[in-house]
């Protein structure tokens, strides 16, 4: 299958191609310029946008001059290609703080022992730890094609909580007290 994809795709160069053809040899394919533009836009925003994020578009897209299109335009609407930067762009300071808190909770739930002493299911731990490296290259916070991992992890946590609730001793019927003997 890989041979077919490489052959039909014109060789392996399409895998390493710079998306914006900036002749600079940027190994991030323009991502750092996009992240820098997010910071510049944030510094020039009003207090509400700094606190709560950019609400001009539903995707909080980034526009910049060096996006690969001719200087006269039109400008491309770029996503942030980074989950943390995307949370900051869409949610401002509160969005970035929520992202960090959510990531910490995700990892804590993935590795901690449960109150009954058991570990979380292995698939949940592997899935939660596997999303961490992708933060740098994917903006999967709000879903899209990359948001399926969040649905799986949320379902896994819900399953764990529901299973814990059904296993709790409070659900078992308590025996009737024995009559007192005098």
């Amino acid at each position: 299958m890989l041979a077919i994809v490489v052959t039909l795709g014109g060789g392996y160069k399409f895998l390493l191609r710079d998306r914006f053809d900036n002749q600079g040899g940027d190994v991030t394919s323009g991502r750092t310029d996009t992240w820098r533009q997010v910071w510049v836009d944030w510094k020039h925003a009003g207090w509400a946008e700094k606190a709560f994020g950019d609400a001009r578009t539903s995707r909080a897209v980034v526009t910049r001059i060096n996006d690969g299109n001719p200087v006269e335009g039109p400008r491309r609407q770029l996503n942030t290609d980074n989950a943390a930067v995307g949370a900051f762009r869409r949610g401002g300071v509160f969005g970035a703080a929520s992202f960090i808190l959510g990531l910490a909770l995700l990892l804590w739930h993935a590795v901690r022992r449960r109150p009954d002493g058991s570990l979380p299911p292995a698939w949940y731990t592997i899935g939660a730890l596997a999303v961490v490296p992708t933060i740098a290259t994917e903006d999967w916070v709000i879903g899209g094609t990359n948001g399926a991992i969040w649905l799986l992890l949320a379902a896994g946590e819900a399953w764990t909580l529901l299973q814990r609730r059904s296993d709790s001793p409070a659900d078992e019927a308590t025996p009737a007290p024995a009559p007192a003997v005098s």
Side-chain angles (χ1 to χ4, degrees):
M1 181 56 102
L2 183 60
I4 293 171
V5 171
V6 170
T7 302
L8 293 177
Y12 69 92
K13 291 182 180 180
F14 80 98
L15 295 172
L16 305 172
R17 186 183 63 158
D18 188 354
R19 295 181 298 171
F20 304 115
D21 194 27
N22 60 8
Q23 274 80 31
D26 183 6
V27 296
T28 66
S29 191
R31 286 180 174 96
T32 53
D33 290 335
T34 301
W35 303 337
R36 193 175 300 112
Q37 186 64 46
V38 168
W39 180 252
V40 167
D41 290 349
W42 183 83
K43 287 192 320 188
H44 293 97
W47 69 268
E49 282 187 355
K50 285 182 178 178
F52 300 110
D54 181 357
R56 286 177 281 182
T57 64
S58 62
R59 290 180 45 230
V61 295
V62 180
T63 54
R64 58 174 220 242
I65 298 297
N66 60 343
D67 64 0
N69 278 353
V71 177
E72 59 275 0
R75 301 278 54 96
R76 290 183 182 171
Q77 294 185 339
L78 307 168
N79 67 1
T80 59
D81 284 334
N82 182 298
V85 175
F88 179 65
R89 175 73 170 189
R90 281 186 292 281
V93 172
F94 290 121
S98 298
F99 177 82
I100 292 167
L101 177 64
L103 182 62
L105 286 172
L106 172 73
L107 295 175
W108 180 59
H109 282 260
V111 298
R112 73 172 169 88
R113 288 194 176 275
R114 306 293 191 225
D116 65 357
S118 66
L119 290 171
W123 68 267
Y124 183 80
T125 301
I126 292 167
L129 296 176
V131 300
V132 174
T134 67
I135 289 171
T137 59
E138 292 291 334
D139 189 357
W140 39 241
V141 173
I142 60 170
T145 57
N146 301 320
I149 188 69
W150 290 109
L151 295 174
L152 289 172
L153 293 173
E157 187 62 23
W159 176 72
T160 303
L161 291 173
L162 290 173
Q163 187 179 32
R164 186 181 323 147
R165 179 176 284 169
S166 67
D167 292 344
S168 69
D171 290 345
E172 296 174 9
T174 55
V181 179
S182 42

